[in-house]
Amino acid sequence: MQLSNNLMDVFFGYNGRVGDVKGAKEDIAEFTQRAKSAESPEERERYAKAVEQLKTEILPKMQQEMEQLGKQLGLNSGQMGQILELDKDNKFVPNLAIKKSDTGVLSFMNSYESGSYYHNKI
């Protein structure tokens, strides 16, 4: 199976960001627990600051990047935040803005331009 470089970048970038968002949410839960159970006040404060920074600065940026990449792939809101996989025929999930040629090459239905987003009009 061949993927164009731009499509491959968007596909793997999106899947990477989904993992980053899930990992950040897990870290928030873990650090919240550690902030409650830490032995010293300094340690509790440090974990509480880390939780606040993750919630307000880091996670929103990662979610925004994930959503932008998802829009480029033509995902609808119900698919956003889920890892994309190829099915047994090496095709993406059915309603993505990607097509497979007779030779097995995957490409965007509309030509991809950096910075522009595909809008799935349903």
Side-chain angles (χ1 to χ4, degrees):
M1 177 186 69
Q2 293 178 316
L3 291 173
S4 70
N5 287 338
N6 289 338
L7 177 58
M8 186 172 54
D9 290 344
V10 174
F11 178 79
F12 290 114
Y14 170 79
N15 280 341
R17 270 300 169 220
V18 170
D20 292 343
V21 167
K22 287 181 181 180
K25 289 179 180 180
E26 291 170 2
D27 289 344
I28 288 170
E30 181 182 341
F31 290 171
T32 300
Q33 184 61 32
R34 288 185 181 194
K36 293 176 183 176
S37 63
E39 294 179 13
S40 69
E42 295 84 16
E43 207 174 349
R44 285 191 291 272
E45 183 179 343
R46 192 170 61 237
Y47 281 116
K49 284 182 181 180
V51 167
E52 188 61 29
Q53 185 177 19
L54 277 168
K55 283 182 179 179
T56 59
E57 296 175 29
I58 298 169
L59 184 60
K61 288 178 184 178
M62 287 192 293
Q63 286 177 321
Q64 182 182 20
E65 289 174 10
M66 178 190 70
E67 290 170 5
Q68 287 175 340
L69 291 167
K71 287 177 185 177
Q72 289 176 343
L73 290 171
L75 295 177
N76 60 35
S77 60
Q79 295 171 306
M80 202 64 69
Q82 298 175 3
I83 296 287
L84 294 181
E85 295 181 14
L86 299 174
D87 67 12
K88 63 182 177 184
D89 297 326
N90 290 331
K91 295 180 185 174
F92 286 94
V93 230
N95 63 340
L96 291 178
I98 296 170
K99 64 181 178 181
K100 185 176 182 180
S101 71
D102 294 335
T103 59
V105 176
L106 296 175
S107 61
F108 281 103
M109 291 174 74
N110 297 338
S111 59
Y112 171 79
E113 294 178 19
S114 180
S116 69
Y117 304 107
Y118 176 84
H119 179 66
N120 195 359
K121 296 179 183 177
I122 297 178

